[in-house]
Every structure is written in C-alpha cells, then in structure tokens.
Amino acid sequence: MNDSVYWNPILEKMPREKLRQLQLKKFREIFTWAYGHSKFYHKLYSDAGIEPGDLKKFEDIKKVPKMEKSMMRSVQGPGKDNFPYGDILCVPLEQVTDYRQTSGTTGQPIYQADTWQDWELGTEAYCYAMWAQGYRPGDRLFLPFGYNIFIAFWAYHYAGEKIGCEVIPGGVLNTEARILKIQELRATAMGATPTYILGMAETARGMGIDPPKDLSIRKITVAGEPGGSVPATRKRMEDAWGAKVYDQVGSTEIGHWGWQCTHQAGLHVNEAMYLIEIEDVNTGELIEEPGRRGKMVVTTFGRMAQPCIRFDVKDLIQWNARQCDCGRTFRLLEGGIQGRADDITKVKGVLLSPLAIEEVVRNIPQLGNEYQVVVIKKGDIDDITLKVEILPEYQKDEAAIKAKLTDQLRLTTNLGYNIEFHPYESLPRSQTKSRRFQDQRPH
Amino acid sequence: MNQEYDMKSMVTKIKALRRNAESLKEIAGDFPTVTKNCDRILADVRMLEININDAAEVMGK
C-alpha cells in the first residue's frame, strides 16, 4: 500500500523557484495553444498586441488580457460557430466528449466543453485534493447527490475511482433513503455542499439516527459554496457527523484548483496545475504578499478544448503567510474564498461581506443551521434583517441569544440588525447551495 | 517515508508509452476498439507527462 502523504511528492514539495519556472512554461504552452487554435483568444491577444514570443519571463504574464464571464457569454450560444461553445473552442467539435454548464444564476450559463483528456485533467486535479484529505483504497465513498449537467462532484466520483476507493452514487435516492444506504453499506466518506451536509444530519436526527454514533462516515469533502473554510460552519458539520470535513474549491470554467489537506490550515492552491494571481480590487495591481485581500485571476494549465486563461473570477482571496505543516510548497489561502467582489456590498455606508454573518450565526450553538439576511430600503435608509431559528430546547433563552447575536454582529460587521426568530425548520432548506443573502434594495 | 524517485527512468518510460500508443493507433487504421482505447491511454500518458516529465524538465533531471 502506498503510504505517500502526497499524490505527487515531486510537484507538491517542489521548491518555489522551480514551481515558478514550471508555471511560466505551462502558461506559455496554454497561451500559445489558445492563440493558435481559438479565434476568440487570437483576437483578444492580437488586439492587445501580445503574442506567444512576448512571454519571456514570469512578470510578462500580467500583460496578457484577462477574460471574464461576459466575454465568454458573448461568443457562445445560438447562431455562433461550434455551437454551443462559440469560437472560444480550440478543438474540433467531434473531440468534445463532455458538456457541462454553469448554473446561470448570474446570467446566461457558460457552456463548457471538455475533451476526454481535459476530463482526465479535472480528475487528476481532484486526486491531489482527495489524496491530501486522506482518501485511500478501502474508503467507501457515498455521493448524496444527483450529479448532472453541472460540474459538481463528477470529479469526486472519477477521482475516487482513480485513487482506488469504492464509489456509491446515491443520486436518485431521497435524503432518508441516502442515510439508510450509508448505514447499510457502512460508507466511510461523503462529498456534498455544506448546506446539504448540515441538512442531512438534521434529517438523520429526525429519523432517530445519530450520525457520529450510528453511521460510519469519518471524512467529508465539501464544495460548491463557502462553509468548509468558515470555521464555525466546519465545526458544526464535524460535530454533526463525527467526521473531519475538508473544503475543496473549483468551478466549471476553471477546474478543481484548491483544497484543504488533513491539517486544515487553509486552502492549498494546486500551483502545479493552476496559476492563481491576486489583484487589488481598486488599482488592479498584483498582490504577492500575504495578508492583503484581492480579486482572484486564474489560469488552468493544460485544459485544451476551452482554455481558461487569466480568468477574472471576482472571488476575494488572500495569501496566508505560513507554510502548512504538511510540507507542501503549494501556498495556502487565508480563510478560503472570503466572498465575492460583487457580493460585498455597502449597507448603511458600511462594507459588508455576507460570510461574516455566517461565521457569527454558526458560532452560536443554540441557533439552527439556516438563516436569511434581507436588506431593504426604508425611505433613504438601509434596513437589514437577520432571520434565524432557535433550536427548540433553547426557546426560553431567546432574550439572551438575541443580545449575544446583536453584540457579535456589531463587533464583526459594524452594523445593527433587526433580528427575527423563526420556528425551527421553517426557513427554506436546499439540497444544494443556498442563497441566504437577499438584497432587495432597488439598484 | 522518504523515497528517492528515479525521475530520469520514469521520463524515458513515459516517452516510450506515448510512442507505443501513437504507433499502435497509427497501424490500427480505423479499428475502433484499438483507436479509441489508444486515445484513452494517451490521455492518461498526458497525465503522466504533466506529473513527471514536466517536473523533471524544470528540475533538470
């Protein structure tokens, strides 16, 4: 049995200066490929006056124009070449073996093409994550999820197989049936969104099943929404299941670029397969030093059908100053994805990140997992309401809980809230990811 | 466990894998099971190249 801590001991402990050289080599390769095979990319780069020969040193990378979702949308869809992918596609259509799309919550979905090799690349990236999280042959993975037209958890399945785990696809079952199947088959690990992990635990308890005692799940990978890197949310999930919970981040357009290892010190970036740059939100200057938050710009190395090159993700991240005790030279992010640049909003003149509210709510054990935040305008003034559920056994403590919530929210977000208590299990639940922050102000 | 890895030999064998799969595909002509399985093999060879050969190149091995 292979007892290496690392999926790839060479790359994961590569000295930083060598990793930089590797990144430059790979960036040049994908840039040259896209420049030569995609009308979209060729035009983008020609218009900017940049061509492959111009990339001589690492610092030249920032001269390459960024791309955004809106640009991809503009070249895709009905009436466009290489339907539905548009002229961003770099391979003949007949080489595309896998279609996925984004959720479309921010507009028309992005259509994502992958060749079989690209699909293997995504799987390989996920192997780095799962091996770092302790998945090994002998693990029995349960996927409580109907993976489908979206990218979520397909790679967890394929990487699980590649590592040598046994994979149980639990998609068509309802939540109760999934819990019973986990119990029956003694599954040891799961992959799901934080919302669903918490929801499943609630359902299990309602069935008289105590997950830490009655089920054998001992490790969980969460993805799809923040939560795995929100300490209070992770603790809730770990306490609810008696399992270690690890965050993993990725997206349809990018792939699976970041993950926690067993040390849970932050999100490692897979710097052998992805280039993550952090850009100051206001000035556009690249941020190299730890501790300064900025916008993420990502390049995926080696994804051939529909490359992702300097993609402006608008997620907010910052480098962590420490090197993880696991020994990897892949850098850590501090606090995971800290929000989205377009989620950070001003309420009563104060900048607010919705994730800050999650940390407060989930740190109060007398409150249920679900909550909602609603912002409206009353005349000229912003009004913000937090809706929470008190667990039934703590109803009598409502006044004290309200006082604690008010204090913690003021401390963390600098804002005062209307606090509404709702009956337990009355707020909406989701099987995938939840949209808890509702800004209803006219824009 | 600290283990020395023979990168040079791995690189050589990975290159041989690619050559063999490509030449097998070439001689197969339009034999579907051969060409399609070769495509799968070559996709995984690419993973080996990404993981080993590219690393060896920057490390000078």
Side-chain angles (χ1 to χ4, degrees), chain A residues 292-347:
Chain A
R292 246 179 89 198
R293 193 164 69 173
K295 235 176 8 157
M296 186 168 90
V297 176
V298 188
T299 301
T300 306
F301 299 138
R303 198 174 187 184
M304 310 301 267
Q306 192 166 317
C308 169
I309 303 175
R310 297 205 85 221
F311 181 49
D312 188 345
V313 184
K314 303 195 194 312
D315 283 339
L316 296 171
I317 58 172
Q318 66 189 61
W319 294 118
N320 192 322
R322 62 180 279 200
Q323 185 179 342
C324 187
D325 292 338
C326 70
R328 288 178 175 85
T329 53
F330 289 174
R331 283 177 291 183
L332 290 172
L333 296 181
E334 177 81 51
I337 306 290
Q338 296 186 12
R340 287 188 55 79
D342 42 18
D343 274 355
I344 305 264
T345 187
K346 271 198 174 166
V347 177

Side-chain angles (χ1 to χ4, degrees), chain A residues 36-271:
Chain A
H37 291 83
S38 156
K39 285 187 203 168
F40 165 82
Y41 276 115
H42 190 94
K43 183 173 186 320
L44 179 68
Y45 299 145
S46 302
D47 287 353
I50 187 160
E51 50 183 50
D54 296 330
L55 299 175
K56 294 185 174 49
K57 51 191 189 313
F58 195 86
E59 292 68 29
D60 293 333
I61 289 174
K62 64 177 180 267
K63 297 179 193 165
V64 173
K66 289 180 294 184
M67 52 177 278
E68 302 190 7
K69 262 190 169 149
S70 56
M71 293 158 78
M72 294 172 87
R73 283 192 186 112
S74 70
V75 300
Q76 292 191 327
K80 301 290 193 317
D81 290 345
N82 302 315
F83 176 78
Y85 306 108
D87 58 17
I88 199 166
L89 194 67
C90 288
V91 300
L93 257 180
E94 58 266 23
Q95 287 185 20
V96 175
T97 57
D98 282 87
Y99 166 94
R100 293 296 180 283
Q101 64 176 62
T102 61
S103 58
T105 45
T106 56
Q108 174 193 305
I110 302 297
Y111 307 116
Q112 181 68 40
D114 281 308
T115 62
W116 179 253
Q117 182 179 289
D118 291 334
W119 201 241
E120 277 292 288
L121 190 75
T123 299
E124 188 68 21
Y126 222 108
C127 286
Y128 277 82
M130 291 175 78
W131 195 267
Q133 292 167 2
Y135 287 80
R136 295 293 186 272
D139 269 316
R140 185 169 273 161
L141 277 48
F142 190 87
L143 280 125
F145 188 73
Y147 26 117
N148 47 50
I149 207 168
F150 306 125
I151 201 82
F153 294 102
W154 281 96
Y156 181 86
H157 179 127
Y158 280 87
E161 288 175 342
K162 193 167 190 176
I163 285 172
C165 305
E166 182 185 346
V167 179
I168 308 163
V172 76
L173 307 173
N174 66 17
T175 303
E176 288 83 357
R178 286 169 182 160
I179 290 163
L180 291 172
K181 192 54 69 177
I182 287 170
Q183 190 174 46
E184 177 195 347
L185 296 179
R186 297 181 212 157
T188 61
M190 264 201 304
T193 61
T195 293
Y196 195 60
I197 290 297
L198 290 169
M200 267 183 88
E202 265 182 351
T203 302
R205 286 191 294 269
M207 294 163 68
I209 292 173
D210 182 20
K213 286 212 310 275
D214 302 325
L215 301 178
S216 41
I217 298 286
R218 290 297 167 260
K219 74 181 146 269
I220 299 171
T221 298
V222 292
E225 60 179 355
S229 291
V230 178
T233 302
R234 191 175 76 229
K235 185 173 185 325
R236 282 206 177 209
M237 291 188 280
E238 290 187 337
D239 290 346
W241 285 90
K244 297 295 277 180
V245 174
Y246 303 109
D247 201 9
Q248 188 278 328
V249 290
S251 74
T252 309
E253 308 95 318
I254 303 167
H256 316 288
W257 59 267
W259 31 267
Q260 286 176 337
C261 68
T262 51
H263 290 255
Q264 295 174 302
L267 276 180
H268 283 285
V269 174
N270 184 336
E271 296 193 83

Side-chain angles (χ1 to χ4, degrees), chain A residues 364-380:
Chain A
I364 298 178
Q366 295 87 349
L367 296 177
N369 295 318
E370 285 308 323
Y371 66 94
Q372 276 188 345
V373 182
V374 181
V375 185
I376 62 173
K377 209 81 165 165
K378 278 191 173 169
D380 288 334

